[in-house]
C-alpha cells in the first residue's frame, strides 16, 4: 500500500500528474461491455464487436481484458499512445511506462484473479501489423523489468478486413512445448476494436498456453460516435484513481 516508505512514491506522484486526462474504465453494467468497457446495446453483456470475436474464435480468446484507462480521441492520453511510437519523447515514454508499471505493481493480482491464474509464466506484446521494423516500441519500453520469458509473435501480413479477428493473423515462434500450460500476460498499447489483441491471444492459446490475460494502456474512445456519449458523460468529472482498476471494480465486494 502507498505510504511514507513506499518505494513507488516518486512513480505515484508522476502518475498523479496524469490524472486530469486519464479516466478509469467503467464497471460492466447495462450499456457497458464487460470485455472492453465500450458501449454495448441494451440487453447485451458484450458489444457487437466483442461478440463477433467470441463467435469467430470459438471462445478461444483472452481470459481477461483489463484496460488501464480510457483514451479519448484528441486528448492527451490518446496523443501519447500514438506519439510514443512515431515521434518518441522521453517525457511521453516515461509517463506511459510509469502508468503501466504502477498498474502492474498494484493490480497484477486483480488481473490474475480475473483470468483465474495463480502465477504468470510468460509475457508477450501484441505485434504491429503495419510492417514496422524491429522490436515493438512497447516491448522496448518495458525492457527487462519483469523476470519472465517473452513469447515472440510476428504478423502474417493479412490485409483484408484489418479490424476483424483473424485466426491466422499472428505466428508464435516459441516452441509449442515451452508454452504447454503457460499463463501469459499480454500487453497492448491501444484497444480500438480489439481484433489484433484477440487474434494474438488466440494464437498464443493455439500454441499451447492455458490462460491469457491482456493489459491495455488505453481503451480508445471516439467521442464522435454517439453510443460513447453516456460513457463520456459518466467519466467527465472522474479524474483517474490508480488504486482502482477495471477488474478491481467489477470483482470487489
Amino acid at each position: 500500500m502507498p505510504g511514507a516508505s513506499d518505494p513507488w512514491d516518486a512513480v505515484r506522484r508522476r502518475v498523479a500528474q496524469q490524472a486530469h486526462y486519464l479516466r478509469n474504465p467503467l464497471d460492466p453494467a447495462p450499456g457497458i461491455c464487460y470485455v472492453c468497457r465500450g458501449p454495448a446495446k441494451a440487453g447485451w453483456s458484450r458489444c457487437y464487436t466483442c461478440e463477433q470475436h467470441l463467435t469467430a474464435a470459438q471462445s478461444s480468446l483472452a481470459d481477461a481484458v483489463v484496460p488501464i484507462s480510457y483514451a479519448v480521441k484528441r486528448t492527451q492520453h490518446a496523443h501519447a499512445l500514438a506519439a510514443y511510437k512515431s515521434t518518441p519523447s522521453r517525457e511521453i515514454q516515461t509517463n506511459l511506462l510509469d502508468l503501466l508499471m504502477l498498474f502492474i505493481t498494484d493490480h497484477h493480482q486483480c488481473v490474475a484473479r480475473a483470468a483465474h491464474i495463480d502465477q504468470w509464466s510468460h509475457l508477450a506484446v501484441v505485434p504491429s501489423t503495419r510492417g514496422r521494423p524491429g522490436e515493438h516500441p512497447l516491448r522496448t519500453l518495458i525492457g527487462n523489468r519483469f523476470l519472465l520469458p517473452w513469447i515472440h509473435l510476428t504478423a502474417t501480413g493479412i490485409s483484408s478486413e484489418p479490424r476483424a479477428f483473424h485466426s491466422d493473423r499472428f505466428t508464435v515462434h516459441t516452441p509449442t512445448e515451452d508454452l504447454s500450460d503457460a499463463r501469459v500476460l499480454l500487453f497492448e498499447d491501444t484497444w480500438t476494436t480489439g481484433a489484433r489483441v484477440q487474434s494474438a491471444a488466440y494464437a498464443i492459446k493455439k500454441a499451447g498456453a492455458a490462460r491469457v490475460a491482456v493489459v491495455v494502456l488505453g481503451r480508445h474512445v471516439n467521442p464522435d460516435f454517439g453510443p460513447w456519449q453516456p460513457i463520456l458523460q459518466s467519466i467527465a468529472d472522474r479524474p483517474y484513481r490508480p488504486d482502482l482498476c477495471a477488474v478491481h471494480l467489477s470483482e470487489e465486494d
Side-chain angles (χ1 to χ4, degrees):
M1 297 297 292
S5 60
D6 183 5
W8 287 86
D9 271 348
V11 175
R12 293 186 193 283
R13 287 194 296 271
R14 292 195 295 267
V15 171
Q17 292 172 353
Q18 304 176 53
H20 65 284
Y21 61 80
L22 299 173
R23 291 294 183 269
N24 296 92
L26 295 179
D27 198 26
I32 307 293
C33 176
Y34 87 86
V35 177
C36 71
R37 310 309 167 92
K41 292 182 179 179
W44 290 41
S45 60
R46 302 179 190 86
C47 65
Y48 177 74
T49 303
C50 287
E51 191 70 36
Q52 283 188 314
H53 295 162
L54 184 69
T55 300
Q58 299 179 350
S59 300
S60 190
L61 300 173
D63 299 289
V65 174
V66 189
I68 297 176
S69 172
Y70 287 120
V72 183
K73 186 178 180 179
R74 298 186 292 271
T75 65
Q76 195 163 344
H77 191 41
H79 168 73
L81 290 169
Y84 94 99
K85 293 181 286 189
S86 57
T87 54
S89 79
R90 181 63 61 88
E91 181 181 3
I92 289 174
Q93 291 177 333
T94 298
N95 285 345
L96 291 176
L97 183 60
D98 284 344
L99 179 64
L100 177 61
M101 294 303 296
L102 184 61
F103 181 86
I104 295 299
T105 296
D106 287 351
H107 298 289
H108 69 93
Q109 291 182 334
C110 303
V111 178
R113 181 186 60 192
H116 303 288
I117 290 171
D118 293 327
Q119 187 174 2
W120 307 105
S121 66
H122 293 76
L123 306 171
V125 167
V126 178
S128 171
T129 54
R130 298 184 178 181
R132 180 184 291 108
E135 189 174 66
H136 190 282
L138 184 56
R139 171 68 182 88
T140 303
L141 192 64
I142 295 170
N144 295 317
R145 290 174 172 82
F146 300 100
L147 301 178
L148 289 172
W150 287 87
I151 295 170
H152 180 59
L153 298 95
T154 56
T156 59
I158 290 173
S159 58
S160 63
E161 298 183 274
R163 294 190 172 226
F165 171 89
H166 291 280
S167 62
D168 57 348
R169 173 168 289 191
F170 299 110
T171 300
V172 177
H173 295 282
T174 302
T176 301
E177 58 268 25
D178 290 347
L179 291 186
S180 178
D181 200 37
R183 287 88 58 208
V184 182
L185 182 57
L186 177 62
F187 296 106
E188 173 66 306
D189 46 30
T190 305
W191 175 295
T192 303
T193 67
R196 291 191 313 115
V197 182
Q198 294 290 23
S199 296
Y202 179 91
I204 292 169
K205 282 194 166 184
K206 288 303 177 184
R211 314 292 289 182
V212 177
V214 177
V215 170
V216 183
L217 274 163
R219 197 320 180 187
H220 176 74
V221 176
N222 180 3
D224 302 322
F225 182 53
W228 274 107
Q229 290 306 311
I231 293 176
L232 286 168
Q233 291 169 11
S234 295
I235 66 175
D237 299 319
R238 298 185 188 182
Y240 181 73
R241 287 181 53 186
D243 58 312
L244 301 177
C245 77
V247 288
H248 195 117
L249 286 169
S250 64
E251 296 200 1
E252 287 285 4
D253 293 332

